[in-house]
Amino acid sequence: MSAKRNESGPQDDKLPIRMLHDRVLVRQDTGEGERRSGGGILIPATAAVGKRLAWAEVVAVGQNVRTVEPGDRVLYDPEDRAEVEVRGVGYVLMRERDLHAVAADRFEGSEDSTGLYL
């Protein structure tokens, strides 16, 4: 017997997803609203700031990605992003070369680490 498709719509939300080539799928940190400066000053979400990079958590990587793994935090430019929604959750899709930095526990004590902590 062949499997039947639901007549009301495609079954795309039931399919597993695999990232291809050098693609990285990340989930944005929820820091879009108000934030505080290091000195405790409240900065409203409407405040104009220069070009600001954002942090996100890596969810999935393609087979040619060499520097990041799922669970890492990465720094990227939110201006250069392709957004996608999977099962009602928003993600950002990008190439590995579009990442600016990687923060992960596995770098602790390595010589290519800056010594800074998040």
Side-chain angles (χ1 to χ4, degrees):
M1 280 181 113
S2 65
K4 286 187 175 180
R5 288 198 97 126
N6 187 348
E7 298 299 324
S8 63
Q11 294 292 323
D12 292 354
D13 61 338
K14 303 287 185 193
L15 298 175
I17 297 173
R18 178 173 38 169
M19 303 306 297
L20 300 176
H21 310 295
D22 66 340
R23 301 301 195 272
V24 178
L25 187 69
V26 300
R27 181 176 36 240
Q28 296 176 318
D29 288 350
T30 56
E32 297 294 324
E34 295 178 340
R35 59 188 187 278
R36 290 201 179 270
S37 71
I41 298 171
L42 182 66
I43 303 170
T46 57
V49 292
K51 188 170 182 175
R52 185 177 186 93
L53 299 177
W55 287 99
E57 180 183 352
V58 176
V59 176
V61 297
Q63 69 267 22
N64 294 338
V65 173
R66 295 181 281 168
T67 57
V68 297
E69 298 174 1
D72 290 352
R73 287 178 40 90
V74 293
L75 188 63
Y76 73 100
D77 184 358
E79 302 280 326
D80 302 328
R81 65 180 179 189
E83 295 182 17
V84 63
E85 187 173 312
V86 179
R87 295 185 179 157
V89 179
Y91 296 96
V92 176
L93 178 65
M94 63 186 68
R95 292 178 180 264
E96 181 181 23
R97 69 178 179 216
D98 295 332
L99 301 175
H100 295 279
V102 180
D105 289 334
R106 68 179 185 278
F107 297 143
E108 190 172 338
S110 68
E111 57 188 55
D112 56 341
S113 174
T114 64
L116 298 174
Y117 297 94
L118 298 176

